[in-house]
Amino acid sequence: MKKPIVIKKGLSNDMRFDLKDGAGSDAIHVKPVYAYAVCKLVTDSDVEGVGLAFTLGSGNKIVCQAIEYLVKHVEGKEIYELMDTFGATYKKMADDPNFRWLGPHKGVVQLALAAVVNACYDLWAKAEGVPLWKLLIDLSPEQLVNTLDFSYYEDILPKQEAIALIKNQRAGITQRESIIQTGYPGYDTSIGWFNYTDEQVLRNVEEAMNNGFTAMKLKVGAQNPDRDIRRAELVRKIAGDKATIMFDANQQWNLPQAISVCTKLKELNPYWIEEPTHPDDVYAHVALAKAVDVPLALGEHVPNKIIFKNFIQSGCMSFNQVDAVRVGGVSEFLLISLLSRKFNIPVVPHVGDMGQIHQHLVLFNHITLGHPALLLEHIPHLRDYFKHPVLISDGKYQTPMEPGMSADLLQYEYSY
Amino acid sequence: MKKPIVIKKGLSNDMRFDLKDGAGSDAIHVKPVYAYAVCKLVTDSDVEGVGLAFTLGSGNKIVCQAIEYLVKHVEGKEIYELMDTFGATYKKMADDPNFRWLGPHKGVVQLALAAVVNACYDLWAKAEGVPLWKLLIDLSPEQLVNTLDFSYYEDILPKQEAIALIKNQRAGITQRESIIQTGYPGYDTSIGWFNYTDEQVLRNVEEAMNNGFTAMKLKVGAQNPDRDIRRAELVRKIAGDKATIMFDANQQWNLPQAISVCTKLKELNPYWIEEPTHPDDVYAHVALAKAVDVPLALGEHVPNKIIFKNFIQSGCMSFNQVDAVRVGGVSEFLLISLLSRKFNIPVVPHVGDMGQIHQHLVLFNHITLGHPALLLEHIPHLRDYFKHPVLISDGKYQTPMEPGMSADLLQYEYSY
C-alpha cells in the first residue's frame, strides 16, 4: 500500500533567461528572452511536482497568472487517485468555463494547462521514485490511456483502438529497450542561429561534429533568400554529404515564397524543412508538399490535438514536432504520439524544455509505441539553470535516472 | 486640414455582467457571465476610442492585462496618420515578439489585439464625426486595404485583387444603400437558450414573432439528443413552416454524434446548423458536410484569418460567422469578409458585441462588398449597459447614426 500524497497548494513562477551573442535568434525573435511559466505543486510529503510551459518574452507573466487559476483543479487531490483517472481531470481543466472562451485549447490558457499537467506527471513519477520514462513504460495500456482525454478523437482513434495499438507493439519491446543503454540520438540546433555570422556557423558545425553530432539544424527565413541559400550551402559543404541537415524557416514565408525557396533548398538534400509558413495553415502546407518534394517538419506552434489531427489527416506532415510544453502537457503529447504512430508519422519533438522532459517522452514513444528512434533536438543554452541537465555523450542523450521528468530548476526563487 | 488628434494613453477595463434566469446558457456555459475586455484610448482632444473584446467569465482579467501591454504600440500616435497605414501597425502588434509565442494570432493575445484595434477604428470614426459604417463605405478601395494586413493571404487574395474586388462591386451600390433606410434584418438568438424550459421557449417564439422576427435560433447539443429533437420540433411547430430556424450545438458533438443528430435535425429544414463540433477541426466539418446535406454556420470561435482561409478553402462553410470581437478586430474582420466575398460565402457574424459593432460592419459588407443582406444576430441581454444600444424595429436593425462604432458602455468605471 502506497502512502497517499496530497497536493496542498499550486504556485506559479515567471522565470526568464537572457540569451547572449545571438544565441536563440530566429527569423522572428532577434533578441530572444527564453522564459518558463513554472507550476510547482507543494504536497503534504517531501516531494513536489514541477511543470513547465515554455514561452518567449514578457508575455510569460500572463501564462503564470493563468496557472494560478487553473491549478485549483488539482489542489486537495491525492496524486495516485488523480492520475488513476487523469483524463477526466484534464478535460475539466481544458473546458473550464471561465477559460474556455479564451481558447478553446490554445494560446495562454493552453500553455498554462501544459504547466499544470506536467507538474502532475512529475509529481507522480517522483512519488513512485522513478524517472518519467520508466513510469510510463511500466503502465498497463489501460492505465496509460486513462490519463488521456479522447474527446474529438472518437472518429479517428477511439480509446479501445489506442489500447490495441499499444498491445500490438509488445513484440520487439525488449530489443527496443536496449536504447536505454545506448542512448537516444540527438541533433544540434545551435550551429546556425539566425544572427550568427558565416564564420560562427562554420566553427559551430565543426565543433558539433567533433562532439559526435551527425545531425544539425540551420535557421533560414531571411528577407533575402540568397542569404538562406548561401548559409545552407556553407553548412552542407563543411558538414559533408553524409551529414543530416535540417532547415528551419520559423513561419517566415508565405506560400509562393515557400515554394520558391524550398525548391532551391531541396537541392542540398535536407532531412526536413521546418515551419515553412504559418503554423495554422494546413492547406498551404498541403499545397507546398504537392509543389515541392521535400519532407516537412511541423508542429512546434500547433497548440492542440485537433489541429495535429488535421495536419496528420492532410498528409503534408513528414515529421511531427509536437512539444509537451506547448500542447496540454505530457497527457496531450502522448495522445498525439499515439495518433501519429497510427499514421506512421515519426515524432521528433520541438524542445521548448531544452530536451529535459522530451528525453523521457521519446524513450516511451520508441519503447512502448514502437516509434522509430530518430533524433531529439538539443539546445544547450539553459543547461546551467536545471538541477539535472541533460547529459549528451558522443551526440547521444544519456538516459536520465533521477525520479521525475528532469524539469526542476535551480534558482527557483528567482522570478519576475 | 483636419486637426491632429494624438493618443495619449491606453487603458483597459475588465467588465462583467451576470445574466439572469438561464439567459445566455448553452451546452458549455451553464451559468454564463458575459464579459468585455475594454480598451479605452484617451487623446489630447475631447474624443476617446473604445474597443471591445468579448469573453465569458473571470479569464477576462488576463485579456485586460494583455491589452495594457499591447496598447503601447499606439500610444503617442496621431489617429489619422495611424489609420493611413494601419495594416503595418496591425502586423507589428500581431507579431510583437513578447506575445507571438503565446499565439501566434490566437487566444488571449488575439482577443487583446481585437480590443486595441477596435478602439482605433472607433476613435477614427469619432474623430471624423461619423458612424463607422459611413466612414468605411466612404473610404477609397486603396485607403481601405491599407488598414488591412495581407500577410499569408498572398496565395489567395493579394492586395491588388482585393482592390479590384471592391471596385467590381461599384455597380449596384446605390441600390444597396437603400438598406440604410429600410434597416438590416435581424434574427433572435434568445428564444431558446440551453437551460430554458419548453414553456419558456414556446412563449419566446411567440414573442419574437410578435416583435417582427421571422428568423430565430435554438440552442442544442444536449447529452441526450432526444431533448434536442423535441425542442427543435417544438420551435418548428410554433414558428411555422415559413420561419427561418437555426440550431446551435456550441461544439458539443464529436463527428459521429454530429452526423447522427444533424441527420435528424435536417428533417426540420433548418436554415443552418451552427458549430456542430470542435471549432479547429476543419476536416471533421468537411466530413460532416459530405455526410449530411445541411448548411453549416461556422466561425464563432475561429481566431484568425488563417483558419478562416482554411475553412473557406475546404468548402464546408455555408455561412461565415466571423466575430470582430474575437478575431483581430475590425481590420481582420474586413479582410476575412473580403475573402469570403471572393468565395461567395455570406457573412452572418456571431455578435459577442451584442450587434453594437456588427450593425456597422454588415452595412459595409452589403453596400461596399456586395455581400447579401441576410441576417444579423440579436441578443438583448446587455442593452442596458450601452450608451447607444441597438435599435430594432419590426425585426430589423435601425441604422446607427451616432459617431463611432456604438461600443461605448455606461457605468464605464465599474470593473474588477
Side-chain angles (χ1 to χ4, degrees), chain A residues 58 65 98 100-101 105-107 152 251 278 280-282 304 309-310 314 326, chain B residues 58 65 98 100-102 105-106 152 251 278 280-283 304 309-310 314 326:
Chain A
S58 63
Q65 284 163 336
N98 277 310
R100 198 176 185 286
W101 197 273
H105 316 138
K106 56 181 72 72
Y152 301 106
Q251 319 163 19
H278 197 287
D280 297 343
D281 202 338
V282 177
N304 63 45
K309 172 179 145 183
N310 276 214
S314 77
R326 154 122 8 227
Chain B
S58 64
Q65 283 163 336
N98 278 310
R100 198 176 186 283
W101 196 273
L102 308 185
H105 314 138
K106 57 180 71 72
Y152 302 107
Q251 317 164 19
H278 197 288
D280 297 344
D281 202 338
V282 177
Y283 282 74
N304 63 46
K309 172 178 144 182
N310 276 214
S314 77
R326 149 103 39 210

mmCIF file of all heavy atoms in Angstrom, chain A residues 58 65 98 100-101 105-107 152 251 278 280-282 304 309-310 314 326, chain B residues 58 65 98 100-102 105-106 152 251 278 280-283 304 309-310 314 326:
data_model
loop_
_atom_site.group_PDB
_atom_site.id
_atom_site.type_symbol
_atom_site.label_atom_id
_atom_site.label_comp_id
_atom_site.label_asym_id
_atom_site.label_seq_id
_atom_site.Cartn_x
_atom_site.Cartn_y
_atom_site.Cartn_z
ATOM 1 N N SER A 58 8.125 38.813 -22.263
ATOM 2 C CA SER A 58 7.421 39.246 -21.060
ATOM 3 C C SER A 58 5.991 38.722 -20.975
ATOM 4 O O SER A 58 5.388 38.743 -19.903
ATOM 5 C CB SER A 58 7.412 40.774 -20.998
ATOM 6 O OG SER A 58 6.699 41.309 -22.103
ATOM 7 N N GLN A 65 -0.206 33.811 -14.519
ATOM 8 C CA GLN A 65 -1.475 34.154 -13.888
ATOM 9 C C GLN A 65 -2.558 33.130 -14.215
ATOM 10 O O GLN A 65 -3.380 32.794 -13.362
ATOM 11 C CB GLN A 65 -1.896 35.559 -14.294
ATOM 12 C CG GLN A 65 -1.068 36.583 -13.528
ATOM 13 C CD GLN A 65 -1.112 37.949 -14.127
ATOM 14 O OE1 GLN A 65 -1.368 38.094 -15.322
ATOM 15 N NE2 GLN A 65 -0.823 38.954 -13.328
ATOM 16 N N ASN A 98 -14.577 29.336 -17.174
ATOM 17 C CA ASN A 98 -14.001 30.684 -17.061
ATOM 18 C C ASN A 98 -12.848 30.923 -18.044
ATOM 19 O O ASN A 98 -12.388 32.056 -18.204
ATOM 20 C CB ASN A 98 -13.485 30.932 -15.648
ATOM 21 C CG ASN A 98 -14.596 31.367 -14.717
ATOM 22 O OD1 ASN A 98 -15.351 32.279 -15.030
ATOM 23 N ND2 ASN A 98 -14.707 30.690 -13.581
ATOM 24 N N ARG A 100 -12.604 28.775 -21.161
ATOM 25 C CA ARG A 100 -12.755 28.121 -22.451
ATOM 26 C C ARG A 100 -12.893 29.109 -23.599
ATOM 27 O O ARG A 100 -12.374 28.896 -24.691
ATOM 28 C CB ARG A 100 -13.955 27.161 -22.421
ATOM 29 C CG ARG A 100 -13.889 26.156 -23.563
ATOM 30 C CD ARG A 100 -15.014 25.147 -23.487
ATOM 31 N NE ARG A 100 -14.872 24.115 -24.505
ATOM 32 C CZ ARG A 100 -15.123 24.300 -25.792
ATOM 33 N NH1 ARG A 100 -15.520 25.470 -26.237
ATOM 34 N NH2 ARG A 100 -14.965 23.315 -26.662
ATOM 35 N N TRP A 101 -13.578 30.211 -23.335
ATOM 36 C CA TRP A 101 -13.754 31.213 -24.395
ATOM 37 C C TRP A 101 -12.410 31.795 -24.853
ATOM 38 O O TRP A 101 -12.285 32.274 -25.978
ATOM 39 C CB TRP A 101 -14.669 32.347 -23.919
ATOM 40 C CG TRP A 101 -15.198 33.155 -25.048
ATOM 41 C CD1 TRP A 101 -14.616 34.240 -25.640
ATOM 42 C CD2 TRP A 101 -16.423 32.923 -25.766
ATOM 43 N NE1 TRP A 101 -15.387 34.696 -26.665
ATOM 44 C CE2 TRP A 101 -16.509 33.916 -26.766
ATOM 45 C CE3 TRP A 101 -17.444 31.987 -25.652
ATOM 46 C CZ2 TRP A 101 -17.592 33.987 -27.649
ATOM 47 C CZ3 TRP A 101 -18.521 32.064 -26.532
ATOM 48 C CH2 TRP A 101 -18.571 33.052 -27.508
ATOM 49 N N HIS A 105 -8.585 25.693 -26.008
ATOM 50 C CA HIS A 105 -7.476 24.761 -26.207
ATOM 51 C C HIS A 105 -6.337 25.359 -27.016
ATOM 52 O O HIS A 105 -5.720 24.668 -27.836
ATOM 53 C CB HIS A 105 -7.976 23.459 -26.864
ATOM 54 C CG HIS A 105 -9.250 22.942 -26.248
ATOM 55 N ND1 HIS A 105 -10.282 22.438 -26.965
ATOM 56 C CD2 HIS A 105 -9.659 22.898 -24.953
ATOM 57 C CE1 HIS A 105 -11.274 22.090 -26.159
ATOM 58 N NE2 HIS A 105 -10.921 22.366 -24.924
ATOM 59 N N LYS A 106 -6.068 26.615 -26.788
ATOM 60 C CA LYS A 106 -4.965 27.266 -27.497
ATOM 61 C C LYS A 106 -4.543 28.525 -26.767
ATOM 62 O O LYS A 106 -5.262 29.030 -25.902
ATOM 63 C CB LYS A 106 -5.372 27.591 -28.936
ATOM 64 C CG LYS A 106 -6.636 28.441 -29.049
ATOM 65 C CD LYS A 106 -7.020 28.732 -30.494
ATOM 66 C CE LYS A 106 -7.558 27.566 -31.248
ATOM 67 N NZ LYS A 106 -8.923 27.134 -30.851
ATOM 68 N N GLY A 107 -3.361 29.021 -27.125
ATOM 69 C CA GLY A 107 -2.904 30.283 -26.558
ATOM 70 C C GLY A 107 -2.550 30.161 -25.083
ATOM 71 O O GLY A 107 -2.161 29.106 -24.593
ATOM 72 N N TYR A 152 -13.150 14.283 -29.140
ATOM 73 C CA TYR A 152 -12.959 14.668 -30.547
ATOM 74 C C TYR A 152 -11.971 13.751 -31.279
ATOM 75 O O TYR A 152 -11.569 14.052 -32.401
ATOM 76 C CB TYR A 152 -12.530 16.130 -30.689
ATOM 77 C CG TYR A 152 -13.520 17.114 -30.091
ATOM 78 C CD1 TYR A 152 -13.241 17.772 -28.895
ATOM 79 C CD2 TYR A 152 -14.737 17.368 -30.704
ATOM 80 C CE1 TYR A 152 -14.147 18.664 -28.330
ATOM 81 C CE2 TYR A 152 -15.651 18.256 -30.151
ATOM 82 C CZ TYR A 152 -15.344 18.901 -28.960
ATOM 83 O OH TYR A 152 -16.239 19.785 -28.408
ATOM 84 N N GLN A 251 8.275 29.977 -39.887
ATOM 85 C CA GLN A 251 6.987 30.514 -40.375
ATOM 86 C C GLN A 251 7.099 31.773 -41.221
ATOM 87 O O GLN A 251 6.093 32.451 -41.450
ATOM 88 C CB GLN A 251 6.035 30.814 -39.200
ATOM 89 C CG GLN A 251 6.031 29.781 -38.107
ATOM 90 C CD GLN A 251 5.427 30.306 -36.816
ATOM 91 O OE1 GLN A 251 4.706 31.284 -36.802
ATOM 92 N NE2 GLN A 251 5.706 29.617 -35.720
ATOM 93 N N HIS A 278 2.786 29.793 -42.137
ATOM 94 C CA HIS A 278 2.011 29.987 -40.904
ATOM 95 C C HIS A 278 1.570 28.644 -40.308
ATOM 96 O O HIS A 278 1.020 27.803 -41.012
ATOM 97 C CB HIS A 278 0.789 30.863 -41.185
ATOM 98 C CG HIS A 278 0.189 31.435 -39.937
ATOM 99 N ND1 HIS A 278 -0.522 30.668 -39.043
ATOM 100 C CD2 HIS A 278 0.231 32.679 -39.411
ATOM 101 C CE1 HIS A 278 -0.917 31.429 -38.023
ATOM 102 N NE2 HIS A 278 -0.461 32.660 -38.225
ATOM 103 N N ASP A 280 -0.873 27.624 -38.608
ATOM 104 C CA ASP A 280 -2.289 27.241 -38.660
ATOM 105 C C ASP A 280 -2.723 26.823 -40.058
ATOM 106 O O ASP A 280 -3.848 26.353 -40.230
ATOM 107 C CB ASP A 280 -3.184 28.427 -38.242
ATOM 108 C CG ASP A 280 -2.955 28.869 -36.809
ATOM 109 O OD1 ASP A 280 -2.375 28.099 -36.035
ATOM 110 O OD2 ASP A 280 -3.368 30.001 -36.473
ATOM 111 N N ASP A 281 -1.860 27.026 -41.047
ATOM 112 C CA ASP A 281 -2.310 26.945 -42.438
ATOM 113 C C ASP A 281 -2.111 25.539 -43.007
ATOM 114 O O ASP A 281 -1.185 25.267 -43.763
ATOM 115 C CB ASP A 281 -1.582 27.987 -43.284
ATOM 116 C CG ASP A 281 -2.342 28.322 -44.552
ATOM 117 O OD1 ASP A 281 -3.172 27.497 -44.989
ATOM 118 O OD2 ASP A 281 -2.112 29.414 -45.112
ATOM 119 N N VAL A 282 -3.034 24.641 -42.661
ATOM 120 C CA VAL A 282 -2.944 23.250 -43.129
ATOM 121 C C VAL A 282 -2.920 23.202 -44.658
ATOM 122 O O VAL A 282 -2.068 22.534 -45.258
ATOM 123 C CB VAL A 282 -4.131 22.429 -42.588
ATOM 124 C CG1 VAL A 282 -4.085 21.004 -43.122
ATOM 125 C CG2 VAL A 282 -4.134 22.424 -41.057
ATOM 126 N N ASN A 304 -2.822 22.137 -30.175
ATOM 127 C CA ASN A 304 -3.652 21.080 -29.577
ATOM 128 C C ASN A 304 -3.829 19.884 -30.504
ATOM 129 O O ASN A 304 -3.479 19.921 -31.689
ATOM 130 C CB ASN A 304 -5.013 21.652 -29.155
ATOM 131 C CG ASN A 304 -5.806 22.174 -30.342
ATOM 132 O OD1 ASN A 304 -5.900 21.524 -31.386
ATOM 133 N ND2 ASN A 304 -6.366 23.372 -30.201
ATOM 134 N N LYS A 309 -4.426 16.573 -35.437
ATOM 135 C CA LYS A 309 -5.245 15.592 -36.169
ATOM 136 C C LYS A 309 -5.439 16.027 -37.616
ATOM 137 O O LYS A 309 -5.269 15.233 -38.547
ATOM 138 C CB LYS A 309 -6.590 15.474 -35.434
ATOM 139 C CG LYS A 309 -7.678 14.673 -36.090
ATOM 140 C CD LYS A 309 -8.927 14.662 -35.157
ATOM 141 C CE LYS A 309 -10.225 14.677 -35.897
ATOM 142 N NZ LYS A 309 -11.397 14.746 -35.000
ATOM 143 N N ASN A 310 -5.730 17.314 -37.815
ATOM 144 C CA ASN A 310 -5.913 17.815 -39.179
ATOM 145 C C ASN A 310 -4.624 17.727 -39.990
ATOM 146 O O ASN A 310 -4.642 17.316 -41.152
ATOM 147 C CB ASN A 310 -6.430 19.262 -39.161
ATOM 148 C CG ASN A 310 -7.955 19.337 -38.993
ATOM 149 O OD1 ASN A 310 -8.596 20.213 -39.525
ATOM 150 N ND2 ASN A 310 -8.540 18.395 -38.279
ATOM 151 N N SER A 314 -4.105 15.396 -43.239
ATOM 152 C CA SER A 314 -3.879 16.101 -44.506
ATOM 153 C C SER A 314 -2.809 15.451 -45.365
ATOM 154 O O SER A 314 -2.757 15.666 -46.572
ATOM 155 C CB SER A 314 -3.469 17.549 -44.236
ATOM 156 O OG SER A 314 -2.102 17.596 -43.841
ATOM 157 N N ARG A 326 4.026 23.025 -25.076
ATOM 158 C CA ARG A 326 3.123 23.915 -25.845
ATOM 159 C C ARG A 326 1.712 23.333 -25.872
ATOM 160 O O ARG A 326 0.757 24.042 -25.578
ATOM 161 C CB ARG A 326 3.639 24.112 -27.283
ATOM 162 C CG ARG A 326 2.536 24.437 -28.242
ATOM 163 C CD ARG A 326 2.516 25.660 -29.054
ATOM 164 N NE ARG A 326 3.546 26.585 -29.181
ATOM 165 C CZ ARG A 326 3.344 27.915 -29.074
ATOM 166 N NH1 ARG A 326 2.155 28.408 -28.753
ATOM 167 N NH2 ARG A 326 4.337 28.755 -29.274
ATOM 168 N N SER B 58 -14.169 34.779 -15.579
ATOM 169 C CA SER B 58 -13.094 35.518 -14.909
ATOM 170 C C SER B 58 -11.808 35.596 -15.710
ATOM 171 O O SER B 58 -10.939 36.422 -15.432
ATOM 172 C CB SER B 58 -12.818 34.887 -13.530
ATOM 173 O OG SER B 58 -12.338 33.564 -13.693
ATOM 174 N N GLN B 65 -5.020 42.456 -19.046
ATOM 175 C CA GLN B 65 -3.585 42.661 -18.829
ATOM 176 C C GLN B 65 -2.817 42.655 -20.146
ATOM 177 O O GLN B 65 -1.863 43.412 -20.333
ATOM 178 C CB GLN B 65 -3.063 41.594 -17.867
ATOM 179 C CG GLN B 65 -3.472 41.943 -16.446
ATOM 180 C CD GLN B 65 -3.374 40.791 -15.495
ATOM 181 O OE1 GLN B 65 -3.423 39.632 -15.905
ATOM 182 N NE2 GLN B 65 -3.253 41.099 -14.223
ATOM 183 N N ASN B 98 7.210 39.775 -27.794
ATOM 184 C CA ASN B 98 6.905 39.366 -26.419
ATOM 185 C C ASN B 98 5.591 38.594 -26.300
ATOM 186 O O ASN B 98 5.298 38.028 -25.252
ATOM 187 C CB ASN B 98 6.833 40.586 -25.494
ATOM 188 C CG ASN B 98 8.207 41.032 -25.040
ATOM 189 O OD1 ASN B 98 8.998 40.222 -24.572
ATOM 190 N ND2 ASN B 98 8.509 42.311 -25.217
ATOM 191 N N ARG B 100 4.176 36.857 -29.367
ATOM 192 C CA ARG B 100 3.887 35.988 -30.515
ATOM 193 C C ARG B 100 3.877 34.512 -30.129
ATOM 194 O O ARG B 100 3.082 33.728 -30.630
ATOM 195 C CB ARG B 100 4.883 36.242 -31.645
ATOM 196 C CG ARG B 100 4.359 35.712 -32.976
ATOM 197 C CD ARG B 100 5.286 36.028 -34.128
ATOM 198 N NE ARG B 100 4.699 35.635 -35.395
ATOM 199 C CZ ARG B 100 4.644 34.379 -35.831
ATOM 200 N NH1 ARG B 100 5.128 33.406 -35.094
ATOM 201 N NH2 ARG B 100 4.096 34.085 -37.007
ATOM 202 N N TRP B 101 4.789 34.126 -29.236
ATOM 203 C CA TRP B 101 4.841 32.720 -28.828
ATOM 204 C C TRP B 101 3.536 32.278 -28.152
ATOM 205 O O TRP B 101 3.191 31.104 -28.149
ATOM 206 C CB TRP B 101 6.026 32.488 -27.882
ATOM 207 C CG TRP B 101 6.359 31.041 -27.754
ATOM 208 C CD1 TRP B 101 5.832 30.131 -26.889
ATOM 209 C CD2 TRP B 101 7.291 30.308 -28.569
ATOM 210 N NE1 TRP B 101 6.375 28.890 -27.103
ATOM 211 C CE2 TRP B 101 7.276 28.965 -28.127
ATOM 212 C CE3 TRP B 101 8.137 30.669 -29.630
ATOM 213 C CZ2 TRP B 101 8.071 27.979 -28.698
ATOM 214 C CZ3 TRP B 101 8.931 29.681 -30.196
ATOM 215 C CH2 TRP B 101 8.886 28.364 -29.733
ATOM 216 N N LEU B 102 2.832 33.234 -27.543
ATOM 217 C CA LEU B 102 1.588 32.916 -26.826
ATOM 218 C C LEU B 102 0.431 32.644 -27.782
ATOM 219 O O LEU B 102 -0.649 32.246 -27.354
ATOM 220 C CB LEU B 102 1.215 34.050 -25.875
ATOM 221 C CG LEU B 102 2.313 34.513 -24.917
ATOM 222 C CD1 LEU B 102 1.773 35.550 -23.965
ATOM 223 C CD2 LEU B 102 2.913 33.350 -24.151
ATOM 224 N N HIS B 105 -1.410 34.638 -32.961
ATOM 225 C CA HIS B 105 -2.667 35.071 -33.588
ATOM 226 C C HIS B 105 -3.870 34.282 -33.086
ATOM 227 O O HIS B 105 -4.778 33.971 -33.861
ATOM 228 C CB HIS B 105 -2.565 34.982 -35.124
ATOM 229 C CG HIS B 105 -1.278 35.557 -35.661
ATOM 230 N ND1 HIS B 105 -0.558 34.969 -36.650
ATOM 231 C CD2 HIS B 105 -0.560 36.649 -35.289
ATOM 232 C CE1 HIS B 105 0.527 35.673 -36.897
ATOM 233 N NE2 HIS B 105 0.547 36.705 -36.075
ATOM 234 N N LYS B 106 -3.849 33.965 -31.812
ATOM 235 C CA LYS B 106 -4.977 33.223 -31.236
ATOM 236 C C LYS B 106 -4.970 33.371 -29.727
ATOM 237 O O LYS B 106 -3.988 33.802 -29.130
ATOM 238 C CB LYS B 106 -4.906 31.755 -31.648
ATOM 239 C CG LYS B 106 -3.614 31.060 -31.267
ATOM 240 C CD LYS B 106 -3.575 29.595 -31.699
ATOM 241 C CE LYS B 106 -3.439 29.375 -33.183
ATOM 242 N NZ LYS B 106 -2.100 29.689 -33.730
ATOM 243 N N TYR B 152 0.254 36.267 -45.445
ATOM 244 C CA TYR B 152 -0.239 34.886 -45.621
ATOM 245 C C TYR B 152 -1.521 34.813 -46.448
ATOM 246 O O TYR B 152 -2.151 33.767 -46.538
ATOM 247 C CB TYR B 152 -0.444 34.175 -44.269
ATOM 248 C CG TYR B 152 0.810 34.105 -43.422
ATOM 249 C CD1 TYR B 152 0.971 34.899 -42.291
ATOM 250 C CD2 TYR B 152 1.859 33.255 -43.773
ATOM 251 C CE1 TYR B 152 2.125 34.844 -41.516
ATOM 252 C CE2 TYR B 152 3.018 33.196 -43.010
ATOM 253 C CZ TYR B 152 3.134 33.986 -41.882
ATOM 254 O OH TYR B 152 4.272 33.934 -41.121
ATOM 255 N N GLN B 251 -20.372 23.307 -30.342
ATOM 256 C CA GLN B 251 -19.187 22.426 -30.406
ATOM 257 C C GLN B 251 -19.326 21.134 -29.607
ATOM 258 O O GLN B 251 -18.315 20.456 -29.366
ATOM 259 C CB GLN B 251 -17.935 23.159 -29.901
ATOM 260 C CG GLN B 251 -17.804 24.584 -30.382
ATOM 261 C CD GLN B 251 -16.803 25.396 -29.579
ATOM 262 O OE1 GLN B 251 -15.958 24.843 -28.885
ATOM 263 N NE2 GLN B 251 -16.875 26.698 -29.705
ATOM 264 N N HIS B 278 -15.759 20.506 -32.834
ATOM 265 C CA HIS B 278 -14.665 21.378 -32.378
ATOM 266 C C HIS B 278 -14.300 22.427 -33.430
ATOM 267 O O HIS B 278 -14.101 22.097 -34.594
ATOM 268 C CB HIS B 278 -13.436 20.536 -32.034
ATOM 269 C CG HIS B 278 -12.443 21.270 -31.200
ATOM 270 N ND1 HIS B 278 -11.657 22.295 -31.695
ATOM 271 C CD2 HIS B 278 -12.126 21.178 -29.888
ATOM 272 C CE1 HIS B 278 -10.890 22.774 -30.721
ATOM 273 N NE2 HIS B 278 -11.161 22.119 -29.616
ATOM 274 N N ASP B 280 -11.713 23.977 -34.289
ATOM 275 C CA ASP B 280 -10.444 23.870 -35.017
ATOM 276 C C ASP B 280 -10.459 22.758 -36.060
ATOM 277 O O ASP B 280 -9.520 22.634 -36.841
ATOM 278 C CB ASP B 280 -9.289 23.560 -34.043
ATOM 279 C CG ASP B 280 -9.051 24.661 -33.030
ATOM 280 O OD1 ASP B 280 -9.538 25.775 -33.246
ATOM 281 O OD2 ASP B 280 -8.356 24.392 -32.024
ATOM 282 N N ASP B 281 -11.499 21.934 -36.051
ATOM 283 C CA ASP B 281 -11.448 20.675 -36.802
ATOM 284 C C ASP B 281 -12.023 20.837 -38.202
ATOM 285 O O ASP B 281 -13.156 20.447 -38.494
ATOM 286 C CB ASP B 281 -12.195 19.584 -36.033
ATOM 287 C CG ASP B 281 -11.734 18.199 -36.447
ATOM 288 O OD1 ASP B 281 -11.188 18.054 -37.559
ATOM 289 O OD2 ASP B 281 -11.922 17.258 -35.653
ATOM 290 N N VAL B 282 -11.212 21.388 -39.096
ATOM 291 C CA VAL B 282 -11.649 21.618 -40.478
ATOM 292 C C VAL B 282 -12.082 20.302 -41.131
ATOM 293 O O VAL B 282 -13.154 20.217 -41.728
ATOM 294 C CB VAL B 282 -10.516 22.273 -41.293
ATOM 295 C CG1 VAL B 282 -10.942 22.456 -42.756
ATOM 296 C CG2 VAL B 282 -10.112 23.617 -40.687
ATOM 297 N N TYR B 283 -11.265 19.269 -40.980
ATOM 298 C CA TYR B 283 -11.538 18.011 -41.688
ATOM 299 C C TYR B 283 -12.816 17.332 -41.176
ATOM 300 O O TYR B 283 -13.528 16.701 -41.942
ATOM 301 C CB TYR B 283 -10.340 17.065 -41.593
ATOM 302 C CG TYR B 283 -9.230 17.440 -42.554
ATOM 303 C CD1 TYR B 283 -8.419 18.548 -42.321
ATOM 304 C CD2 TYR B 283 -9.006 16.709 -43.715
ATOM 305 C CE1 TYR B 283 -7.421 18.906 -43.203
ATOM 306 C CE2 TYR B 283 -8.010 17.055 -44.612
ATOM 307 C CZ TYR B 283 -7.204 18.167 -44.354
ATOM 308 O OH TYR B 283 -6.221 18.523 -45.235
ATOM 309 N N ASN B 304 -8.549 33.526 -36.249
ATOM 310 C CA ASN B 304 -7.776 34.384 -37.159
ATOM 311 C C ASN B 304 -8.043 34.079 -38.631
ATOM 312 O O ASN B 304 -8.672 33.082 -38.975
ATOM 313 C CB ASN B 304 -6.276 34.272 -36.852
ATOM 314 C CG ASN B 304 -5.745 32.860 -37.084
ATOM 315 O OD1 ASN B 304 -6.038 32.232 -38.099
ATOM 316 N ND2 ASN B 304 -4.973 32.343 -36.132
ATOM 317 N N LYS B 309 -9.303 31.134 -43.658
ATOM 318 C CA LYS B 309 -8.880 30.796 -45.024
ATOM 319 C C LYS B 309 -9.017 29.300 -45.264
ATOM 320 O O LYS B 309 -9.548 28.868 -46.296
ATOM 321 C CB LYS B 309 -7.431 31.266 -45.175
ATOM 322 C CG LYS B 309 -6.699 30.877 -46.433
ATOM 323 C CD LYS B 309 -5.283 31.502 -46.396
ATOM 324 C CE LYS B 309 -4.230 30.627 -47.009
ATOM 325 N NZ LYS B 309 -2.872 31.205 -46.935
ATOM 326 N N ASN B 310 -8.579 28.495 -44.315
ATOM 327 C CA ASN B 310 -8.673 27.041 -44.459
ATOM 328 C C ASN B 310 -10.129 26.583 -44.519
ATOM 329 O O ASN B 310 -10.492 25.750 -45.356
ATOM 330 C CB ASN B 310 -7.932 26.338 -43.320
ATOM 331 C CG ASN B 310 -6.437 26.183 -43.580
ATOM 332 O OD1 ASN B 310 -5.829 25.213 -43.179
ATOM 333 N ND2 ASN B 310 -5.824 27.137 -44.272
ATOM 334 N N SER B 314 -11.861 24.858 -47.733
ATOM 335 C CA SER B 314 -12.291 23.466 -47.561
ATOM 336 C C SER B 314 -13.642 23.177 -48.193
ATOM 337 O O SER B 314 -13.964 22.030 -48.477
ATOM 338 C CB SER B 314 -12.370 23.129 -46.073
ATOM 339 O OG SER B 314 -13.550 23.679 -45.507
ATOM 340 N N ARG B 326 -13.580 38.745 -31.642
ATOM 341 C CA ARG B 326 -12.800 37.514 -31.407
ATOM 342 C C ARG B 326 -11.548 37.519 -32.291
ATOM 343 O O ARG B 326 -10.449 37.301 -31.809
ATOM 344 C CB ARG B 326 -13.646 36.263 -31.674
ATOM 345 C CG ARG B 326 -12.928 35.068 -32.162
ATOM 346 C CD ARG B 326 -12.618 33.904 -31.250
ATOM 347 N NE ARG B 326 -13.562 33.471 -30.286
ATOM 348 C CZ ARG B 326 -13.160 32.908 -29.114
ATOM 349 N NH1 ARG B 326 -11.874 32.771 -28.833
ATOM 350 N NH2 ARG B 326 -14.046 32.500 -28.240
#
